[in-house]
Amino acid sequence: MNLEYVKSVVRNVPDFPKPGIQFKDITTALKDPKALSFMVDHLYEHYKNKGITKVAGIESRGFIIGAALAARLGAGFVLIRKPGKLPADTIQKSYQLEYGEDTIEMHKDAIGKEDVVLVHDDLLATGGTALAALELVQEVGAREVYVNFLIELAFLNGTERLSSAKEVYSMISY
């Protein structure tokens, strides 16, 4: 089992969600027990000695591997969601999309000043959502913040927007 195998089971869906987009669908890798185990194991090996105390998963696909990785690392799991989905006091961050604006939020008390946080999502494209999540975690005062993706669309240069992170790591790059 290796990264090439995982890459081979990620489905490419042409023209989704709109014409011209080649959507990288991780559901085919998630349903494959070998690929799923490999992804969690691979990320665990990468982060096991970095002192991660919280993994913050970005809605919604970031919850899947993020929660499994948090459990494996012995860390807590934090939800970063769209507005109105979390029940307690939240902080928000709005960001620009290609055609408009979006907002994400997390609980104000989810992360403390001594936490070392790994922000996780399934895919990095232009980096807008990831940057907003990184800024939310930094705003509450996390000691260090790492950012991770299963897949990066490197030609969109999203990592350039995440330079304030301790490290940005993507398992697979296209």
Side-chain angles (χ1 to χ4, degrees):
M1 181 60 54
N2 58 34
L3 288 173
E4 286 305 312
Y5 176 79
V6 174
K7 194 172 185 178
S8 77
V9 296
V10 171
R11 177 175 29 209
N12 190 55
V13 181
D15 299 320
F16 182 83
K18 61 184 184 179
I21 302 290
Q22 298 294 314
F23 186 82
K24 302 300 182 197
D25 180 12
I26 67 161
T27 64
T28 49
L30 295 172
K31 74 177 184 176
D32 182 313
K34 294 181 289 188
L36 178 60
S37 291
F38 179 83
M39 289 185 291
V40 174
D41 291 347
H42 179 86
L43 292 176
Y44 170 76
E45 288 299 321
H46 187 84
Y47 290 103
K48 69 181 180 182
N49 296 320
K50 297 189 187 294
I52 305 294
T53 59
K54 301 273 175 59
V55 175
I58 300 173
E59 185 170 336
S60 67
R61 290 180 301 271
F63 295 171
I64 301 163
I65 299 295
L69 183 57
R72 186 85 189 274
L73 289 168
F77 185 72
V78 174
L79 303 172
I80 297 179
R81 301 210 61 190
K82 294 180 182 190
K85 304 288 186 182
L86 296 171
D89 290 337
T90 61
I91 59 170
Q92 294 186 337
K93 185 61 95 174
S94 293
Y95 58 99
Q96 294 299 310
L97 297 169
E98 188 176 341
Y99 299 106
E101 185 176 271
D102 209 349
T103 302
I104 56 174
E105 64 182 17
M106 71 178 194
H107 283 132
K108 283 182 181 179
D109 62 356
I111 293 169
K113 298 200 181 309
E114 292 304 311
D115 281 318
V116 176
V117 180
L118 171 60
V119 174
H120 172 78
D121 204 1
D122 68 319
L123 186 130
L124 173 64
T126 61
T129 305
L131 177 60
L134 172 61
E135 289 173 348
L136 272 178
V137 171
Q138 290 172 328
E139 185 177 321
V140 295
R143 187 162 41 101
E144 289 182 331
V145 186
Y146 295 83
V147 183
N148 163 257
F149 306 93
L150 298 177
I151 296 170
E152 174 185 356
L153 303 178
F155 61 92
L156 295 174
N157 301 314
T159 55
E160 292 175 8
R161 299 180 74 182
L162 306 173
S163 61
S164 65
K166 173 95 173 159
E167 174 191 80
V168 179
Y169 175 72
S170 301
M171 278 183 49
I172 297 170
S173 184
Y174 290 95

